[in-house]
Amino acid sequence: MDTVLDAPVKTFIQVTEIWVPEGDRLVLATGNYGALSAFEEATRAISFAKGEGLPGKAWAEERPVVLKGFDGSYFKRIEAAAEAGLTSAVAIPVFNDAQLKAVLVVLCGDDENRTGAIEVWHEEDGLLMLDDGYYGAAKHFEWVSQHTHFPRGQGLPGGVWSASTPMLFRDLGSGYRFIRADSAGKAGLTTGLGLPIPVPQDKSFVLTLLSARGTPIARRFEIWDSRPVKVGREIAAILADGICEREGPLWTDDTQEPPRRVNANQGNIGKVLATGLPLIVTGKPGLTEGYETLVALPIFDAGEIAHIVAWYV
């Protein structure tokens, strides 16, 4: 699958940041800002107390937070974001039981061509309801999502909720398992990644990333599972599922190759295994050929990393 891709296209997510606790504040660990150097400079000058700004709000409220408009909000970089053309953001906390490990923040711009979805679903009265989401130009799909709820095991959010594992859905517009297939197809959405977001207080949150071909969230998705390979103190993970947007699955069911496996500190996924922290890698050295950015996010369960989800652009 190490195939050279075409020149990068406009992506749905424009900025990705990782904030980590240092004392009583969140400080920037790393970020991918592309050409938005002025916004990056403004970001490096700040930090967040608990409850302050978008990362601090996700920390204090112990849940993923969607902010669809910055004007008049608690967002601290409003002027710099406006100059950069950024209009909305989602903050995703990474908790190991009650300990905050990091907050991953993604920021998007809004124009008539940018289509995709970043959704946060929460459990309420035995159903998953849309907490909020950002959809770009997919306005009808947004309306359908606002009026849709999922029992446990149904659709992508309900499937993730039931299994407590990340899941990939392919061919969203024609897939019978994707409840919103008709409106997804009309919006041009092609691939869906759903992942559980563990938080304290035994609450249920599911994050879904829905990618369109024209403005993709990612061109490659991977799900790594560390549960089947834990032996004693050894930490490793197996590539359990994945898809290249242009090339189909990473393997076929009749392949004779053994599962792909990484150990702690082996490559980028191994680094996440070793540190328990999300990772952003930019630049081609160390990445699969044809990709320029990697984002990898650990998902904890019972005090250990259970999965790592990764996406490449």
Side-chain angles (χ1 to χ4, degrees):
M1 280 303 175
D2 292 349
T3 302
V4 177
L5 302 180
D6 296 335
V9 299
K10 181 190 290 187
T11 54
F12 188 67
I13 295 173
Q14 292 179 265
V15 171
T16 309
E17 306 172 329
I18 296 171
W19 298 85
V20 296
E22 189 174 286
D24 61 353
R25 301 190 71 83
L26 289 173
V27 299
L28 184 68
T30 186
N32 177 28
Y33 296 89
L36 303 180
S37 55
F39 184 77
E40 179 179 4
E41 184 177 350
T43 298
R44 294 192 180 280
I46 64 174
S47 62
F48 298 96
K50 193 171 187 177
E52 183 181 27
L54 181 60
K57 186 177 179 68
W59 182 13
E61 297 188 2
E62 299 181 339
R63 66 181 184 91
V65 178
V66 178
L67 183 56
K68 291 197 288 189
F70 296 152
D71 288 346
S73 74
Y74 51 82
F75 195 75
K76 287 186 67 175
R77 297 166 282 170
I78 294 175
E79 184 176 339
E83 292 177 357
L86 301 170
T87 57
S88 57
V90 181
I92 306 151
V94 178
F95 279 99
N96 180 5
D97 292 332
Q99 178 192 10
L100 180 75
K101 301 286 289 184
V103 178
L104 177 71
V105 175
V106 298
L107 298 102
C108 305
D110 192 9
D111 62 50
E112 61 183 11
N113 298 316
R114 201 177 299 272
T115 298
I118 306 172
E119 304 174 316
V120 174
W121 300 83
H122 72 282
E123 186 273 332
E124 183 178 314
D125 298 329
L127 295 171
L128 272 188
M129 315 293 289
L130 184 67
D131 194 69
D132 210 341
Y134 172 67
Y135 299 85
K139 301 304 181 186
H140 177 68
F141 184 79
E142 178 176 8
W143 183 89
V144 170
S145 301
Q146 290 169 342
H147 294 82
T148 303
H149 54 263
F150 294 94
R152 190 180 292 271
Q154 186 180 65
L156 178 58
V160 172
W161 181 29
S162 177
S164 295
T165 62
M167 298 178 67
L168 270 170
F169 271 24
R170 300 152 171 85
D171 301 321
L172 296 185
S174 58
Y176 70 93
R177 297 169 63 201
F178 194 73
I179 305 304
R180 299 167 285 167
D182 182 62
S183 55
K186 291 176 180 176
L189 301 172
T190 57
T191 306
L193 171 67
L195 51 151
I197 304 297
V199 298
Q201 312 302 326
D202 197 31
K203 299 176 183 176
S204 295
F205 287 95
V206 172
L207 178 78
T208 51
L209 304 175
L210 309 179
S211 194
R213 202 173 300 278
T215 52
I217 286 176
R219 304 177 82 169
R220 176 187 177 104
F221 294 97
E222 298 173 349
I223 297 175
W224 295 81
D225 193 340
S226 64
R227 298 169 303 171
V229 291
K230 183 168 179 58
V231 179
R233 300 178 65 87
E234 182 182 12
I235 303 174
I238 290 175
L239 183 59
D241 198 3
I243 189 170
C244 298
E245 184 181 70
R246 291 187 58 207
E247 303 169 29
L250 301 186
W251 65 84
T252 59
D253 291 340
D254 60 356
T255 181
Q256 299 302 309
E257 297 180 3
R260 185 171 178 179
R261 170 184 171 135
V262 297
N263 298 318
N265 286 311
Q266 180 184 355
N268 293 318
I269 301 301
K271 185 174 181 180
V272 177
L273 276 174
T275 63
L277 296 172
L279 180 68
I280 299 171
V281 179
T282 57
K284 293 183 179 179
L287 290 182
T288 301
E289 186 177 1
Y291 300 99
E292 296 186 351
T293 303
L294 159 71
V295 180
L297 185 68
I299 300 171
F300 286 84
D301 182 39
E304 297 178 329
I305 294 177
H307 297 90
I308 296 171
V309 295
W311 57 91
Y312 299 76
V313 179

